[in-house]
Amino acid sequence: MIDEDEREQVEKYFSYLIENEFIFLCSKENLECFPPLDLSWESSAEVDSIIIDIGKQSDYNFKNIISDISKIRPKVIQIRIFTKKSKIEVADIVNAFSNVDTRSLEIILPLNEDLDIDSIKKIIDENRKIVSIVITDYANGGLSDYKHAKICFTQNKINSESDCGVIDKAYFICDLNTFSESHNFNTCLNQKISIDINGNIKNCPSCKQSFGNIKDTSLLQALKNSSFKKLWSITKAQIDVCKDCEFKYLCTDCRAHIKDTENIYSQPANCCYNPYIAKWKGEEGYVPVEECGSYSTKTGFIINKEKIEALHLKLWGF
């Protein structure tokens, strides 16, 4: 049984959902018209995406990498450039990768005196496979459509592979493909391969484990390593805290930056949300997950129901 105040809140919530067409009402007899969703997931490619990081010390041979990538034919190539480069250098890199058999190119890089917005637009004009370019360390954030691509401006400085792994609602993906994949695989690392700034082949450039260097190991050789795909199948239902989160099937997760490096099922270290009180960091009443339970190397995260009930009473009145 619920009291009148609770009933009023529930009715307001359902009214909101119905008015915004998130749900609709139907008779019990018509429920059979809505069979369960088929949440199976599969892909025609062994590798969906590849990340290539480029820094000051990067000296690997792009031609060899491009030849290697052509053999695995990823759907998406993301190139992250951490150091300022001239418009000619950037154009040469992008033009080289645009010839690879891939569906799309994503570029992340900073601007400089020689590489301006007009130069970026020219690079897009010459490369039909570019779907997005993210301009980092830019004074004003924003998003701009330019022909077949999007240009995103962010104030964030992305200087290395460590500047990633942030869990935020701005990065949520709401579609059936991601929802299905999240039930079966890890949406951060599934079908992903990466080359870090030193040429090391990894699941993600932020991961510690390397499966060889691109100078003497091919991407196909790395993929055949028995340990390479072990993180691909870690689902949100297995991850501490994530398994209790209402956003788990929209979130991209992170297995590189985790709170307990000895536990592959540990919560992402850069998550800004506490699902036990439904609050994001920065919102009034937010407290970190650690105040809702405790971590143990043996058992993972164990919630403290008494603490959570006390927080709910303080925040919501019930």
Side-chain angles (χ1 to χ4, degrees):
M1 296 292 291
I2 60 175
D3 59 33
E4 287 302 314
D5 289 339
E6 290 174 335
R7 181 181 296 278
E8 184 179 352
Q9 290 180 17
V10 171
E11 288 177 350
K12 284 183 178 179
Y13 181 63
F14 274 98
S15 295
Y16 171 81
L17 295 176
I18 292 170
E19 288 171 6
N20 289 276
E21 298 184 348
F22 294 127
I23 65 172
F24 62 89
L25 303 178
C26 73
S27 65
K28 187 175 180 180
E29 291 74 20
N30 288 331
L31 288 177
E32 62 183 27
C33 296
F34 304 95
L37 287 173
D38 179 4
L39 296 177
S40 59
W41 188 91
E42 60 182 2
S43 174
S44 59
E46 182 179 15
V47 173
D48 183 81
S49 62
I50 178 168
I51 298 175
I52 302 167
D53 282 353
I54 301 172
K56 286 183 179 180
Q57 67 268 47
S58 301
D59 62 350
Y60 36 74
N61 189 311
F62 284 119
K63 289 184 179 179
N64 290 343
I65 293 176
I66 291 167
S67 175
D68 218 13
I69 293 173
S70 296
K71 296 173 184 176
I72 62 174
R73 301 174 66 186
K75 294 179 182 178
V76 181
I77 298 175
Q78 185 181 85
I79 302 171
R80 305 192 302 188
I81 301 174
F82 299 132
T83 184
K84 291 183 178 180
K85 291 187 175 293
S86 69
K87 59 185 177 183
I88 294 176
E89 289 176 309
V90 173
D92 286 345
I93 293 171
V94 176
N95 289 339
F97 281 99
S98 68
N99 293 321
V100 178
D101 185 7
T102 185
R103 186 177 62 194
S104 58
L105 282 172
E106 300 173 354
I107 317 295
I108 300 174
L109 80 172
L111 294 181
N112 57 51
E113 295 78 11
D114 183 54
L115 180 69
D116 56 15
I117 298 299
D118 288 336
S119 302
I120 292 294
K121 290 181 177 180
K122 184 178 179 182
I123 290 172
I124 293 173
D125 288 336
E126 296 173 351
N127 296 274
R128 295 292 302 175
K129 289 182 180 179
I130 293 178
V131 295
S132 70
I133 292 185
V134 178
I135 308 299
T136 65
D137 194 15
Y138 199 81
N140 300 310
L143 185 68
S144 174
D145 288 325
Y146 179 72
K147 295 188 176 179
H148 54 277
K150 291 186 179 296
I151 304 176
C152 178
F153 303 92
T154 176
Q155 297 177 357
N156 297 333
K157 294 182 179 181
I158 303 178
N159 298 319
S160 72
E161 70 281 352
S162 62
D163 296 317
C164 71
V166 175
I167 307 299
D168 191 277
K169 55 187 172 183
Y171 304 134
F172 286 172
I173 302 173
C174 185
D175 59 41
L176 184 56
N177 182 68
T178 302
F179 186 76
S180 299
E181 185 181 11
S182 295
H183 277 78
N184 298 279
F185 299 98
N186 186 266
T187 45
C188 173
L189 298 179
N190 182 40
Q191 294 193 309
K192 179 184 290 181
I193 192 168
S194 305
I195 302 172
D196 73 6
I197 57 174
N198 298 310
N200 295 314
I201 303 171
K202 301 178 176 181
N203 288 117
C204 167
S206 298
C207 290
K208 292 181 179 180
Q209 186 175 9
S210 170
F211 297 90
N213 192 283
I214 198 66
K215 293 178 181 178
D216 50 38
T217 305
S218 72
L219 295 175
L220 285 172
Q221 286 175 315
L223 283 168
K224 290 178 181 178
N225 188 302
S226 58
S227 298
F228 190 87
K229 298 179 182 179
K230 71 177 184 180
L231 300 178
W232 286 16
S233 298
I234 297 177
T235 67
K236 303 295 191 307
Q238 297 172 289
I239 298 172
D240 281 344
V241 181
C242 295
K243 60 188 176 185
D244 298 320
C245 181
E246 68 270 37
F247 298 123
K248 59 180 173 286
Y249 297 126
L250 308 177
C251 173
T252 53
D253 185 35
C254 178
R255 292 297 87 208
H257 303 288
I258 54 179
K259 290 190 175 179
D260 182 359
T261 56
E262 301 300 317
N263 176 14
I264 60 173
Y265 302 109
S266 181
Q267 179 193 15
N270 298 325
C271 181
C272 304
Y273 184 67
N274 184 339
Y276 302 111
I277 57 171
K279 289 286 185 179
W280 288 93
K281 186 176 182 180
E283 291 182 336
E284 184 179 354
Y286 170 85
V287 298
V289 165
E290 285 76 3
E291 293 190 28
C292 296
S294 59
Y295 285 95
S296 168
T297 303
K298 292 183 179 180
T299 60
F301 184 75
I302 304 297
I303 63 174
N304 186 318
K305 292 183 179 180
E306 292 182 357
K307 284 186 176 181
I308 294 173
E309 288 175 358
L311 286 167
H312 279 204
L313 184 62
K314 181 178 179 181
L315 287 169
W316 317 112
F318 61 90

